[in-house]
Amino acid sequence: MKLWEENGKIKIAAPAKINLFLEILGKRQDGYHEIETVMQEVSLFDYIYMENYDKNVVFTCSNPKLSAGEDNLVVKAVRLLQNESKTYRGVKIHLDKRIPIGAGLGGGSSDAVATLVGLNKLWRIGYDEKQLMSLAGKLGSDTPFFVVGNTAICKGRGEIVTPYPINVSYNYIIIYPRFEVNTAMVYKNFKNSLTKNLKDVSFFMREFISGNPNKLGAILHNRLEDVVFKLYPDLEKTKKALSKFNFCGVLLSGSGSALYGLCKEEMDLKEIELKIKMLNIGDVFVVTNDF
């Protein structure tokens, strides 16, 4: 997450994430599912602009599909920080929305954390990373990840974050099929019997840090894929179409709807991007974890 401050105004680049590994360990007593996932930030960004503004909270968004009311995660983040820090100042925020909605790319969570980080600086509150992570956890399951960013292993509901920074570059092409997936419905239809033969995240990480995209592509894993494909058969067709390209591996991110392909060489990116665009199966984004 990058932040710029000039003349009392703040601009923040809030990155998307992809899930390279996602295992469901079982059902919890609180109704949620226990997960183990490897999240990685990538170079697809929403941009948030903020400045002090009297005593009111004014929020606008470039995407008319998103609510600009109190139910928006950005506004919820403002209210949470106001209440927790007893800082009842106003702010004017504009969200330039570029990360697809309902795509499993964490755009809303990233925006919420960007808001917390930006206001912490704008209002000179002085919260440290631990305090910001605690606040973020009140806004969503995958939200704390974006406080630390880079790459991390996330457990529990996703809120238990172990940073795993790497110095290896990987290149991906993300395809958003222009429709959203209902995450709650996906988990509702997940059968606990599928939690047999669980994949080992430690083995995954050993291959991951090797820097070899062929090795990584062979073990990309998302336990939710089968469930999502049954609910949304067109997504499975899209994955099959993408598998014809020169990717090391293709995977659904989170509960979808976005899929991504891991590229072998950076030089392949442009050629594959153009070929996928010709299929007109969705919006295409070329990204990297090295930004």
Side-chain angles (χ1 to χ4, degrees), residues 75-136:
V75 181
K76 286 184 177 181
V78 176
R79 298 303 186 197
L80 179 63
L81 192 63
Q82 283 179 327
N83 292 332
E84 293 290 331
S85 67
K86 309 302 180 189
T87 306
Y88 298 105
R89 294 167 62 178
V91 65
K92 188 175 184 179
I93 300 178
H94 177 71
L95 170 60
D96 180 5
K97 189 70 182 165
R98 302 186 185 189
I99 301 172
I101 303 166
L105 299 174
S109 297
S110 187
D111 295 340
V113 170
T115 302
L116 292 176
V117 171
L119 288 178
N120 188 47
K121 189 169 186 65
L122 184 68
W123 289 345
R124 304 290 188 264
I125 294 172
Y127 280 175
D128 59 21
E129 186 178 275
K130 186 177 179 181
Q131 289 169 301
L132 288 172
M133 284 191 72
S134 176
L135 283 181

Side-chain angles (χ1 to χ4, degrees), residues 17-276:
K17 62 83 181 169
I18 55 174
N19 298 76
L20 301 170
F21 176 97
L22 175 57
E23 187 58 274
I24 311 294
L25 303 180
K27 193 80 175 286
R28 294 156 51 112
Q29 289 186 343
D30 60 8
Y32 287 95
H33 285 81
E34 189 80 16
I35 70 167
E36 192 167 53
T37 184
V38 179
M39 295 188 193
Q40 183 172 82
E41 285 183 329
V42 292
S43 56
L44 172 60
F45 304 95
D46 285 342
Y47 291 92
I48 292 180
Y49 303 84
M50 59 175 62
E51 59 184 295
N52 287 308
Y53 188 75
D54 298 328
K55 293 183 179 180
N56 298 317
V57 175
V58 177
F59 173 66
T60 56
C61 180
S62 64
N63 190 328
K65 288 184 180 180
L66 277 181
S67 165
E70 294 289 327
D71 57 333
N72 188 285
L73 268 175
V74 168
V75 181
K76 286 184 177 181
V78 176
R79 298 303 186 197
L80 179 63
L81 192 63
Q82 283 179 327
N83 292 332
E84 293 290 331
S85 67
K86 309 302 180 189
T87 306
Y88 298 105
R89 294 167 62 178
V91 65
K92 188 175 184 179
I93 300 178
H94 177 71
L95 170 60
D96 180 5
K97 189 70 182 165
R98 302 186 185 189
I99 301 172
I101 303 166
L105 299 174
S109 297
S110 187
D111 295 340
V113 170
T115 302
L116 292 176
V117 171
L119 288 178
N120 188 47
K121 189 169 186 65
L122 184 68
W123 289 345
R124 304 290 188 264
I125 294 172
Y127 280 175
D128 59 21
E129 186 178 275
K130 186 177 179 181
Q131 289 169 301
L132 288 172
M133 284 191 72
S134 176
L135 283 181
K138 298 179 181 180
L139 293 168
S141 296
D142 62 352
T143 316
F145 162 73
F146 288 100
V147 178
V148 297
N150 197 308
T151 307
I153 300 173
C154 304
K155 299 183 180 182
R157 292 183 290 110
E159 84 285 5
I160 303 170
V161 182
T162 303
Y164 211 104
I166 61 165
N167 296 313
V168 178
S169 297
Y170 289 108
N171 298 292
Y172 310 91
I173 295 180
I174 295 173
I175 299 87
Y176 172 63
R178 303 188 185 114
F179 64 83
E180 300 177 35
V181 159
N182 186 320
T183 300
M185 184 184 294
V186 171
Y187 277 99
K188 184 178 178 181
N189 282 271
F190 182 83
K191 302 288 193 297
N192 286 329
S193 59
L194 295 175
T195 58
K196 296 176 181 177
N197 302 316
L198 299 178
K199 300 285 187 180
D200 183 2
V201 73
S202 59
F203 171 77
F204 178 87
M205 295 309 292
R206 284 196 296 272
E207 297 297 312
F208 177 44
I209 62 176
S210 72
N212 186 322
N214 286 306
K215 287 185 177 180
L216 178 61
I219 58 170
L220 292 173
H221 171 66
N222 185 342
R223 184 64 68 182
L224 292 176
E225 258 199 357
D226 289 344
V227 182
V228 175
F229 288 166
K230 286 178 182 176
L231 293 170
Y232 302 89
D234 284 348
L235 274 178
E236 186 171 21
K237 293 177 184 176
T238 301
K239 181 173 181 176
K240 286 179 179 176
L242 294 174
S243 298
K244 296 176 183 177
F245 294 100
N246 193 30
F247 288 123
C248 299
V250 178
L251 194 72
L252 186 78
S253 182
S255 59
S257 58
L259 294 138
Y260 64 86
L262 172 60
C263 295
K264 293 182 180 180
E265 302 286 346
E266 192 172 355
M267 65 185 72
D268 296 335
L269 290 170
K270 200 66 183 175
E271 181 183 351
I272 297 176
E273 178 192 12
L274 291 172
K275 287 180 178 178
I276 294 174

